């Protein structure tokens, strides 16, 4: 069964001074899949995310999204193209309300211009109302609609993570990059997260690539996994094959054991 | 409260303001009227700096430069060719300066537009600099403008400056522009575009990742802020009727910065309250600087005391209540209704 | 331009540059350890000159004693400024300390106006500095040699402190990584106080020598030289002492030579520094010898 390829990276390499942070990362992600990127700390996972989302320019290699070459795009252009992300250390707009955070995500699809509100143009007023409504809907989906007018930084940690996801969804993405979405979660929350990720993949017609350390999550929902160690891809495949891969076990020696997942 | 009701309340407030201005114009003494005029202009300046710094997070110290541009453009346009002839005594002005003339409203808008243009030119290279570097760079820009004003006498009359500028800037014009500035900035801040500006302030990286064109947002905010700074400068020129390069030292920017910080960065209400409070204090403290006459005795004034008090006040705010008076809170009709509602319940 | 004129201008440029360099060192050291632009530094410069003046006028101290006393006293003022206006804001957002610095600067300026009055005063110049002597056809004031040489002496002393003493090691550690320095038991606040003390002492020395060269003493005398010295520090690479020296001397030479070669530029002399600043910030913001500070994503 041929599945459409939504994201492809070819020979992605990046050097910082003399250090090669990522070497020759090749990945093909089918549309609608949930896939994972794992590896010990410092392996280069977030660096890959930063290259894909446009924050770093690769030293070598290309990235294709829906067939288009997005290697040289700025982060906001990557988002406009349909790729949204969350951050390892949550990056919310701390002084804004929960609702405002999500509304910022809607801006990229907004049609009215910045000066329309000055003239009180009806089309612009309608669009602003629609943005509020859409944002509230997204908050309902992550269960935060009751906190809409609270300051974002007053939320507990888990809620902040969900807010970040809601904000990313507000950009109408086709592809979601989640950086350690399960960090700091207890087993119950982790289960909820796993169902949630599957849910939004189905409801929003998304493809999801996640970085995770929690093996339960990775093995539970990813259909394909890439393993990085010191910037190099040491393994790739289904959860079963990764679980048994001796190179992977060796790389994780001393860390949370892969075999326990 | 419904938006329609809020709009009605807003319009009613403007009507009350107009009534108050009519009363002031006809019954208050010249000194009080001057203070009201300065309050209006300071509100314009504070709101524009707050947009750039409090809401978009750009630490710009160049406000005096934009004010200077607005002031000179306006002054050149509202003075008649004859007036300018007697003004440019050391060197004759360029003919296009000499003969340029425009109605007051056009002159003020022109002042704002030239300031905006300059803001765009300056902003494009400078706005990618971080916090403190941006501060120093914009401060440098303002100083360059001032030095320029001193050194192109055929345009600005050099160090002599302009005297006898027509005093069109009365209560109506100043508060008219003040209300317009407030309207524009409120509409921008309350729109989703305003949300993106605040997002840029809070976390540029996340904003970029969410599709916000940060550079464009910063540039727009800077341009809009510099427009109103130019307008403020233009009105100031007509109010004070004299301008010279020495007026536009860093001290001027410092005063506006002070208002914005004490009022609360990110609060428009705070900027308004701060403008009122500090303008009044400034004028009230002026008597400390001027000699006081008691009968035939003259008590020496203490020049510099005003700024000593103000810099001390700024430091106290920064050290003990960084968020200023209002923090990031705003006045809104719902809050007011809530307070009266509570009193209503017995 | 004759050869004698050229040498004359170069010496003047060197003198001016040394004065800028001494001030620039203070800016760069503070920025290096605190990432703070110490706006008040220009007032420290001014206070050095005023303390000498009052030391002589009020306490009738001999000039040399007054100079030493002033340098030490102003060094103490610098430490005090940090203690009161910057230390409480160590954990606050960086801009707060910056605003506080601006506040202190205006405060000291205007306090000086209130206490010393804004009337410009003539400064006492020791006669031995005034005697012109001729080297070939070049007219030389002992002052023109004294300033660069004394400045060099001070800078060498500083280099010794920074690279050969324990507190100096602390300074270098803190400018690399303040968090780790705390963790490693470096007495951070004391070292910061020492840095302020040394930086302020150097600025005070510069202020004293400045008034020997340009004898008008007034409370606002520090603003323009202070700003220019800061620009010199940025151009040289903020955080780098060598950069501050190179930037300072370079700026002094450029200022003097530019106006010497193009006299029409005289009115724009002050703007030269600002144009240089904007230029360097656009091309290489970290300055000639500076390091890059990345933002982690």
């Amino acid at each position: 069964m041929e599945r459409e390829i939504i994201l492809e990276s070819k020979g992605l390499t990046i050097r910082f001074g003399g250090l090669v942070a990522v070497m020759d990362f090749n990945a093909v992600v089918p549309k609608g899949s949930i896939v994972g990127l794992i590896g010990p700390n410092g392996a280069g996972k977030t660096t890959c995310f930063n290259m894909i989302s446009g924050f770093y320019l690769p030293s070598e290699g290309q990235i294709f999204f829906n067939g288009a070459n997005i290697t040289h795009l700025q982060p906001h252009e990557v988002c406009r193209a349909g790729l949204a992300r969350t951050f390892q250390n949550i990056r919310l707009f701390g002084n804004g309300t929960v609702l405002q955070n999500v509304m910022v995500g809607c801006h990229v699809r907004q049609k009215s211009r910045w000066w329309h509100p000055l003239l009180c143009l009806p089309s612009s007023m309608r669009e602003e109302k629609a943005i509020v409504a859409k944002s509230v809907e997204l908050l309902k989906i992550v269960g935060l609609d009751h906190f809409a007018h609270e300051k974002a930084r007053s939320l507990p940690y888990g809620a902040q993570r969900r807010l970040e996801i809601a904000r990313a969804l507000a950009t109408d993405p086709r592809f979601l990059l989640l950086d350690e979405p399960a960090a700091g979660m207890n087993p119950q929350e982790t289960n909820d997260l796993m169902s949630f990720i599957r849910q939004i993949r189905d409801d929003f017609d998304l493809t999801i690539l996640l970085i995770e350390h929690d093996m339960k999550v990775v093995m539970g929902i990813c259909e394909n996994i890439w393993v990085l160690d010191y910037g190099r891809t040491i393994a790739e495949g289904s959860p079963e094959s990764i679980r048994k891969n001796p190179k992977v076990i060796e790389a994780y020696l001393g860390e949370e054991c892969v075999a326990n997942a | 409260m419904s938006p329609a009701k809020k709009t009605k309340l807003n319009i009613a407030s403007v009507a009350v303001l107009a009534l108050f201005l009519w009363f002031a114009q006809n019954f208050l003494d010249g000194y009080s009227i001057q203070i009201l005029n300065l309050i209006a202009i300071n509100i314009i300046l504070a709101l524009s700096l707050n947009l750039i710094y409090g809401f978009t997070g750009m630490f710009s110290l160049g406000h005096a430069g934009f004010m200077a541009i607005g002031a000179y453009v306006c002054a050149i346009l509202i003075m008649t060719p004859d007036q300018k002839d007697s003004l440019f005594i050391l060197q004759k002005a360029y003919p296009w300066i000499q003969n340029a003339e425009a109605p007051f409203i056009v002159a003020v808008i022109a002042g704002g537009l030239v300031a905006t243009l300059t803001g765009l030119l300056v902003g494009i290279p400078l706005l990618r600099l971080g916090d403190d570097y941006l501060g120093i760079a914009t401060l440098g820009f303002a100083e360059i403008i001032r030095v320029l004003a001193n050194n192109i006498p055929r345009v600005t009359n050099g160090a002599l400056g302009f005297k006898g500028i027509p005093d069109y800037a009365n209560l109506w014009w100043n508060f008219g522009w003040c209300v317009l500035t407030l309207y524009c900035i409120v509409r921008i801040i309350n729109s989703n575009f305003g949300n993106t500006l605040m997002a840029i302030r809070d976390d540029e990286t996340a904003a970029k990742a969410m599709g916000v064109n940060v550079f464009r947002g910063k540039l727009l905010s800077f341009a809009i802020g510099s427009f109103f700074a130019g307008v403020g400068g233009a009105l100031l020129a007509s109010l004070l009727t004299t301008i010279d390069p020495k007026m536009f030292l860093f001290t001027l920017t410092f005063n506006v910065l002070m208002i914005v910080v004490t009022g609360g960065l990110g609060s428009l209400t705070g900027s308004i309250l701060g403008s009122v409070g500090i303008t009044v204090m400034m004028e009230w403290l002026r008597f400390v600087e001027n000699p006081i006459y008691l009968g035939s005795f003259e008590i020496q004034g203490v020049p510099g005391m005003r700024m000593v008090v103000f810099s001390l006040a700024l430091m106290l705010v920064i050290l003990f209540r960084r968020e200023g008076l209002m923090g990031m809170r705003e006045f809104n009709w719902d809050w007011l209704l809530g307070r009266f509602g509570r009193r209503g319940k017995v | 331009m004759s050869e004698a004129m050229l040498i004359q201008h170069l010496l003047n440029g060197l003198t001016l540059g040394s004065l800028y360099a001494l001030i620039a060192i203070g800016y760069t050291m503070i920025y290096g350890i605190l990432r703070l632009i110490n706006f008040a530094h220009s007032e420290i410069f001014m206070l050095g000159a005023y303390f000498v003046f009052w030391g002589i006028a009020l306490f009738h101290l001999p000039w040399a004693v007054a100079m030493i006393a002033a340098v030490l006293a102003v060094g103490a003022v610098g430490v005090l400024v940090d203690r009161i206006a910057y230390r409480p804001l160590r954990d606050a957002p960086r801009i707060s300390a910056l605003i506080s610095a601006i506040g202190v600067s205006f405060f000291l300026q205007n306090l000086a106006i209130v206490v010393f009055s804004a009337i410009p005063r003539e400064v006492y110049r020791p006669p031995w500095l005034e005697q012109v002597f001729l080297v070939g056809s070049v007219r030389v004031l002992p002052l023109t040699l004294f300033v660069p040489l004394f400045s060099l002496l001070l800078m060498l002393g500083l280099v010794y402190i920074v690279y050969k003493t324990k507190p100096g090691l602390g300074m270098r550690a803190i400018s690399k990584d303040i968090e780790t320095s705390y963790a490693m038991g470096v007495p951070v606040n004391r070292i910061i106080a020492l840095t302020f003390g040394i930086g302020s002492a150097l600025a005070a020395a510069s202020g004293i020598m400045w008034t020997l060269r340009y004898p008008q003493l007034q409370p606002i005398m520090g603003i323009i030289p202070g700003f220019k010295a800061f620009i010199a520090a940025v151009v040289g690479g903020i955080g780098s002492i060598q950069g501050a020296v190179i930037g300072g001397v370079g700026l002094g030479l450029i200022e003097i030579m530019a106006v010497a070669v193009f006299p029409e530029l005289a009115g724009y002399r002050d703007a030269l520094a600002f144009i240089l600043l904007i230029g360097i910030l656009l091309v290489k913001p970290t300055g000639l010898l500076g390091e890059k500070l990345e933002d982690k994503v």
Side-chain angles (χ1 to χ4, degrees):
Chain A
M1 187 176 69
E2 269 297 319
R3 273 162 95 189
E4 201 184 320
I5 306 295
I6 189 170
L7 181 74
E8 183 176 359
S9 80
K10 285 187 179 156
L12 220 51
T13 302
I14 188 165
R15 294 184 194 88
F16 294 110
L19 176 73
V20 182
V22 172
M23 173 67 121
D24 196 31
F25 179 65
N26 296 289
V28 171
V29 181
K31 190 160 182 294
S33 59
I34 301 177
V35 292
L37 186 58
I38 67 174
N41 280 321
K45 310 183 292 291
T46 301
T47 310
C48 282
F49 263 31
N50 288 341
M51 283 192 281
I52 297 172
S53 56
F55 282 96
Y56 290 163
L57 188 64
S59 313
E60 282 166 41
Q62 321 258 25
I63 308 162
F64 294 92
F65 182 66
N66 272 328
N69 189 333
I70 63 166
T71 321
H72 297 273
L73 290 187
Q74 299 273 317
H76 69 269
E77 292 167 322
V78 172
C79 180
R80 188 182 308 261
L83 257 149
R85 68 170 292 180
T86 64
F87 291 89
Q88 189 174 2
N89 304 317
I90 304 177
R91 285 181 173 261
L92 292 176
F93 304 124
N95 289 308
T97 63
V98 167
L99 184 64
Q100 279 174 316
N101 268 265
V102 181
M103 284 171 69
V104 173
C106 295
H107 182 79
V108 68
R109 307 290 168 210
Q110 210 169 337
K111 293 206 175 33
S112 46
R113 325 280 286 132
W114 66 270
W115 45 272
H116 286 179
L118 294 178
L119 301 174
C120 295
L121 290 184
S123 60
S124 138
M125 316 280 272
R126 273 195 301 266
E127 199 182 18
E128 296 265 336
K129 268 216 195 103
I131 285 174
V132 173
K134 174 178 165 187
S135 305
V136 171
E137 272 310 306
L138 285 169
L139 285 178
K140 279 202 188 114
I141 291 172
V142 296
L144 290 175
D145 50 305
H146 295 294
F147 300 102
H149 298 291
E150 305 286 328
K151 283 259 185 282
R153 65 181 122 104
S154 67
L155 289 183
Y157 180 79
Q160 286 190 2
R161 282 220 167 267
R162 283 181 290 158
L163 177 57
E164 233 198 350
I165 295 178
R167 184 181 65 181
L169 288 174
T171 66
D172 274 344
R174 297 271 67 83
F175 197 102
L176 208 52
L177 292 155
L178 300 176
D179 201 337
E180 298 194 34
M185 287 190 179
N186 62 43
Q188 179 58 49
E189 288 169 326
T190 310
N191 279 327
D192 292 340
L193 178 74
M194 286 164 67
S195 336
F196 178 71
I197 291 178
R198 285 199 199 93
Q199 185 87 36
I200 58 172
R201 187 271 305 263
D202 296 334
D203 291 346
F204 289 89
D205 193 25
L206 295 172
T207 311
I208 299 178
L209 167 60
L210 49 90
I211 291 176
E212 245 319 316
H213 280 295
D214 187 329
M215 287 307 143
K216 194 172 75 167
V217 174
V218 177
M219 300 297 168
I221 58 173
C222 296
E223 52 184 82
N224 201 32
I225 301 169
W226 288 265
V227 187
L228 291 186
D229 191 23
Y230 291 110
R232 283 169 171 73
T233 314
I234 60 173
E236 181 201 333
S238 67
E240 291 68 46
S241 71
I242 294 297
R243 193 190 312 234
K244 300 198 191 88
N245 189 314
K247 276 192 273 184
V248 175
I249 297 174
E250 192 188 324
Y252 270 103
L253 212 60
E255 304 224 10
E256 270 304 320
C257 204
V258 174
N260 285 338
Chain B
M1 199 188 299
S2 69
K5 185 136 182 243
K6 282 186 189 167
T7 311
K8 288 201 192 104
L9 276 171
N10 288 335
I11 296 178
S13 311
V14 176
V16 168
L17 177 68
L19 211 70
F20 171 72
L21 291 180
W22 176 87
F23 168 77
Q25 185 87 323
N26 290 308
F27 294 106
L28 288 183
D29 59 289
Y31 185 59
S32 305
I33 291 180
Q34 188 72 344
I35 294 187
L36 284 174
N37 279 319
L38 283 171
I39 287 177
I41 294 178
N42 275 334
I43 291 178
I44 295 174
L45 297 170
L47 290 176
S48 52
L49 184 61
N50 209 349
L51 176 69
I52 294 175
Y53 180 29
F55 287 96
T56 317
M58 300 184 283
F59 189 52
S60 163
L61 294 176
H63 234 52
F66 297 121
M67 290 168 64
I69 291 172
Y72 275 100
V73 167
C74 177
I76 289 171
L77 287 175
I78 59 176
M79 288 180 87
T80 66
D82 287 328
Q83 287 175 311
K84 281 180 261 190
D85 202 39
S86 46
L87 191 66
F88 285 80
I89 42 178
L90 282 183
Q91 284 187 48
K92 283 293 152 204
Y94 291 117
W96 53 275
I97 297 281
Q98 179 85 11
N99 297 320
E101 223 189 330
F104 188 47
I105 179 90
V106 174
V108 174
I109 294 176
L113 286 176
V114 178
T116 301
L117 222 70
T118 318
L120 286 169
L121 278 168
V122 166
I124 291 175
L126 292 186
L127 287 181
R128 53 193 164 94
L129 297 172
D131 273 345
D132 25 14
Y133 281 159
L134 180 65
I136 287 292
T138 45
L139 182 48
F141 151 74
E143 284 297 300
I144 292 175
I145 295 287
R146 201 179 54 80
V147 170
L148 206 63
N150 253 319
N151 285 284
I152 45 173
R154 296 198 68 187
V155 175
T156 61
N157 209 16
L160 291 174
F162 282 44
K163 288 191 231 307
I165 305 172
D167 60 345
Y168 298 140
N170 57 19
L171 283 175
W172 299 106
W173 277 116
N174 293 332
F175 275 93
W177 274 106
C178 180
V179 169
L180 183 66
T181 308
L182 183 63
Y183 170 78
C184 289
I185 295 188
V186 167
R187 296 295 295 151
I188 288 174
I189 292 299
N190 286 341
S191 71
N192 206 18
F193 172 64
N195 279 336
T196 64
L197 292 181
M198 293 186 270
I200 292 173
R201 172 196 63 196
D202 288 345
D203 196 323
E204 230 179 90
T205 305
K208 283 183 197 167
M210 293 300 111
V212 175
N213 187 340
V214 166
F215 182 67
R216 182 175 170 273
K218 281 183 170 180
L219 204 58
L220 266 171
S221 170
F222 196 63
I224 298 169
S226 49
F227 175 78
F228 289 112
V231 164
L235 293 172
L236 200 62
S238 180
L239 182 72
L240 300 177
T241 70
T242 76
I243 55 173
D244 65 75
K246 276 211 293 288
M247 251 177 68
F248 299 103
L249 288 166
F250 181 39
T251 319
L252 193 57
T253 306
F254 175 77
N255 289 338
V256 183
L257 180 67
M258 212 201 137
I259 293 176
V260 171
V261 170
T262 44
L265 284 165
S267 168
L268 299 175
T269 318
S271 293
I272 296 175
L273 294 174
S275 300
V276 174
I278 290 186
T279 309
V280 168
M281 261 231 288
M282 277 256 176
E283 289 306 306
W284 182 72
L285 277 178
R286 198 186 278 276
F287 86 84
V288 175
E289 299 210 331
N290 296 326
I292 304 169
Y293 297 94
L294 295 176
S296 50
F297 288 110
E298 179 187 325
I299 303 179
Q300 280 287 7
V302 190
M305 205 51 179
R306 264 199 312 172
M307 284 307 291
V308 169
V309 172
F310 274 108
S311 37
L312 211 58
L314 178 67
M315 285 175 59
L316 288 173
V317 169
I318 266 296
L319 285 168
F320 297 111
R321 200 185 154 87
R322 197 178 314 148
E323 69 275 17
L325 187 67
M326 296 291 293
M328 287 189 175
R329 295 169 302 169
E330 296 284 4
F331 168 87
N332 56 61
W333 293 116
D334 291 310
W335 170 85
L336 195 66
L337 197 73
R339 304 219 61 186
F340 279 113
R342 229 173 291 144
R343 286 218 203 99
K345 291 196 177 87
V346 172
Chain C
M1 198 191 306
S2 67
E3 193 186 276
M5 287 292 311
L6 182 65
I7 297 179
Q8 191 81 53
H9 286 309
L10 283 174
L11 284 176
N12 284 339
L14 193 62
T15 304
L16 185 62
S18 311
L19 294 173
Y20 284 154
L22 285 175
I23 310 172
I25 289 176
Y27 278 118
T28 217
M29 288 197 336
I30 300 294
Y31 194 86
I33 57 168
L34 283 181
R35 303 282 180 264
L36 169 71
I37 301 174
N38 185 11
F39 270 85
H41 201 57
S42 43
E43 275 58 57
I44 298 290
F45 163 85
M46 174 264 295
L47 285 177
Y50 265 102
F51 277 27
V52 166
F53 180 82
W54 288 112
I56 298 176
L58 219 59
F59 300 108
H60 307 294
L61 299 170
W63 180 78
V65 176
M67 212 178 120
I68 297 174
V71 167
L72 291 173
V74 174
V77 171
V79 174
L80 199 67
V81 165
D82 169 56
R83 184 66 189 81
I84 297 179
Y86 305 152
R87 180 133 88 119
L89 297 172
R90 289 268 199 271
D91 296 322
R94 276 212 346 232
I95 286 292
S96 300
L98 196 56
I99 294 178
S100 183
I102 297 176
V104 173
S105 173
F106 274 99
F107 176 71
L108 289 175
Q109 252 176 63
N110 286 281
L111 194 65
I113 293 178
V114 169
V115 172
F116 301 133
S117 117
I119 305 168
R121 297 179 193 275
E122 277 280 334
V123 146
Y124 168 77
R125 293 157 105 171
W128 55 271
L129 284 174
E130 299 282 281
Q131 286 185 307
V132 180
F133 57 91
L134 290 171
V135 176
S137 50
V138 181
R139 299 174 78 245
V140 177
L141 283 168
L143 187 62
T144 319
L145 296 174
F146 173 71
V147 170
L149 286 174
F150 191 62
S151 308
L152 187 64
L153 215 73
L154 290 172
M155 288 181 228
L156 288 174
L158 177 72
V159 168
Y160 176 80
I161 293 177
V162 171
Y163 288 100
K164 292 264 188 255
T165 67
K166 203 144 166 248
L169 181 64
M171 285 182 207
R172 281 180 284 142
I174 297 174
S175 57
K176 270 270 183 296
D177 189 334
I178 193 168
E179 297 294 343
T180 309
S181 300
Y182 272 119
M184 299 299 285
V186 174
V188 173
N189 280 325
R190 267 195 286 152
I191 303 255
I192 292 178
L194 182 68
T195 313
F196 269 93
I198 295 177
S200 304
L202 291 176
S206 177
I208 296 167
M209 290 193 280
W210 183 278
T211 51
L212 295 176
R213 182 79 180 71
Y214 309 101
Q216 274 226 327
L217 182 69
Q218 47 182 335
I220 57 166
M221 65 180 267
I223 304 176
I224 298 283
F227 209 8
K228 288 182 183 173
F230 176 71
I231 293 172
V234 171
V235 169
I238 196 97
S240 155
I241 294 176
Q242 301 93 312
V245 174
I246 293 175
V249 174
L251 181 65
L253 285 168
I254 291 175
E255 249 190 59
I256 298 284
M257 295 311 296
V259 176
V261 177
F262 303 107
E264 328 80 77
L265 285 184
Y268 288 98
R269 195 172 130 161
D270 289 348
L272 279 176
F274 300 125
I275 294 171
L276 190 65
L277 170 73
I278 294 190
I280 202 85
L281 285 179
L282 294 180
V283 172
K284 191 170 193 285
T286 47
L288 297 170
L289 299 180
E291 299 167 7
K292 249 186 181 297
L293 301 158
E294 290 277 1
D295 180 35
K296 205 165 186 274
V297 176

